[in-house]
Amino acid sequence: MKKLILIVLALFPIAVMGQSLPGLAPGQTPTNKPVLHGKNWMAITGKPLAATAGATIFQQGGNAVDAACAMLAATATMWDVLSWGGETQALIYHPGLKKVIAINAMGVAPTGATVDFYKSKGMDYPPAYGPLAATTPGTPGGLMTMLAEYGSMSLEQVLKPAMQLAKGYPIEAQTANSIESGKERIKQWPYSKKIFLPHLGEDKEGPEAGEIFVQEDLFQTLQKLVNAEKEALANGKSRKEAIYAANDRFYRGDIGKEIVRGTREQGGLFTEEDLANWKVKIEEPLSVNYKGIDVYKLQEWTQGPALLQSLNILENFDLKSMGYNSSEYIHTIYQAMNLAFADRDFYYSDPAFEPRSPIKGLLSKEYAKERAKLIKDKNDPTIKAGDPYPFQGGSNPFKSLLNNSDNSMAINNPGMPIQGPNDPFLQEFQSGTTSIQAADAEGWVVSVTPSGGWVPAVIAGNTGVGLSQRMQSFVLDEKLNPYNLPEPGKRPRVTLTPSLALKDGKPFLSFAVQGGDSQDQNLLQYFLNIVEFDMDVQEAAEAANINSYQMQSSFGAHEIKPGAMSLRDDTPTWIRAELMKKGYIMDFWPRTSRPINAIWFDWKHGSFWGGSSNYGDDYGIAW
């Protein structure tokens, strides 16, 4: 009998392979998380409670913009690697106008934040933490602008879930552990210590997982915004005018004054004029067409155009015939990203300041063809930025810097692979944020990648508002990037990069991911997984991925590791051997993509397909 059982068990896998599982096509394997299906609306973000906030707003009759704003408020309150003093950037598909709109709610360098100032402090880059790392708050203005211009609800309705969370919510282990590991920094800042370390003097000084985490100061700040809106409505103002009255109270009223006072007390540079003069920008996005699909990204103050450049380069290759994650495919996308990110590192910056990045040339299809010719059989660790100026009818004002940029990389560690998951370089390179995806039956689609003010954060006075750390994404040496040097009022070139794609003039895919400099690498491969390899929205989120480190980190010491690559640990031995021959230094991980959240639009059936990768706490709800 035992022998018979063993034979049956041995044959069982073969039998399973020969027939499909319930609900699956022959040969198809289930994903770790199911596809999320919805007909009326879909809400996906970085925390289950925050996704519930979005679902609550939808159930109350709000549109996708209202729901996205509620999720943004909730994630900022829950410190999902961002807070209320960080930055927000979004792409919105407007069904009435049938166009994509870009929201630029990135804060700016404060008064006194110059190259000379930071160099006088003995710094090679602006710091990664502390009051001198802070740009002005952008998230509150971004939320209120999106809500006023494109939402349908009041600020009070949208903020209600976040205010309930601020009164106290059971904190997750991930955030509690981040607080505990960062507590020595937190102790330097009195207002942060008051909120984050409720058990000072004990072995564990931060909150425990599941403990009710209370933020009374933040609740009072949010209540002031609601009060400003109510007062404006009582005085006969419209919904839109009332929301902007709350915005004024944050940036030009008592909240802004306390942010400035509290920041300067702790050594920061903010002035009341810095906050009063700051405004959200509603912009035209950038886009390229890839095989009939229009892909949209924010302007070159983000790294988003690097994905567009990569697609332009990859159009010159037959990716599908190479085979998914073959050595040839991995090599080709690695090299395309190297070329695009080398341009990012040297040219991208805030287009509101001179000199302006040559973005027209950078996104030229002809320029991409010239860059594609540089891809050879082996990795080129010396690749650098190209010259896009001739492709927009101009001459490069920094050609001498470009030609002499070989020795300008901040820290160059060729031959050094990643030293485990706690490698400081990796922690900085893939610094987290969150992402928000929302869509509704009316046709509104929202893709957001907010960030800034992650733990350990400086809290600005008695506001409960954690400040951004985004100043570190500037450089102080023009040889690295002559366009991205700090000036008061200027936005740093950031990694944050929501994505939207349209096909036949209708939404096709809304997608975003957290993960610092890896974001547009992950999103590029995610998009290709769907377009080139016919994966569904969840399969693509869980698929094996690669990460290149042959680009300047936007954080910390701005390190670069030419030829270094992370692959998933199920990469076959022959693929590893072929890549080694091509000059790559590899390490291997169970998961190689940060949490991707996405919505795919099924126009044939009139429904949404949602994907949320099996990494982290990201979660979606649909109806």
Side-chain angles (χ1 to χ4, degrees), residues 42 44 58 63-69 71 89-94 101 103 146 150 435-440 443-449 498-500 510-512 599 601:
M42 187 165 286
I44 311 176
F58 273 131
N63 69 13
V65 179
D66 299 318
C69 289
M71 289 189 280
Q89 26 284 309
L91 292 171
I92 299 173
Y93 178 76
H94 191 307
I101 296 161
I103 302 295
M146 287 192 290
Y150 310 111
S435 66
I436 296 166
Q437 302 296 312
D440 62 37
W444 291 96
V445 185
V446 187
S447 181
V448 194
T449 317
S499 315
L500 272 177
S510 178
F511 56 121
I599 301 172
F601 297 85

Side-chain angles (χ1 to χ4, degrees), residues 149-166:
E149 298 292 335
Y150 310 111
S152 65
M153 287 183 150
S154 69
L155 184 63
E156 181 179 19
Q157 289 173 294
V158 165
L159 290 187
K160 185 176 180 180
M163 293 175 72
Q164 291 173 334
L165 291 168

Side-chain angles (χ1 to χ4, degrees), residues 220-221 224-225 228 245-246 248-261 272 275 462-463:
Q220 293 300 331
T221 293
K224 288 176 182 178
L225 297 179
D248 282 346
R249 184 167 187 182
F250 187 93
Y251 288 97
R252 299 168 187 85
D254 57 334
I255 300 172
K257 292 180 190 300
E258 176 60 12
I259 287 173
V260 170
R261 186 205 67 76
E272 291 183 17
L275 268 66
N462 295 304
T463 63

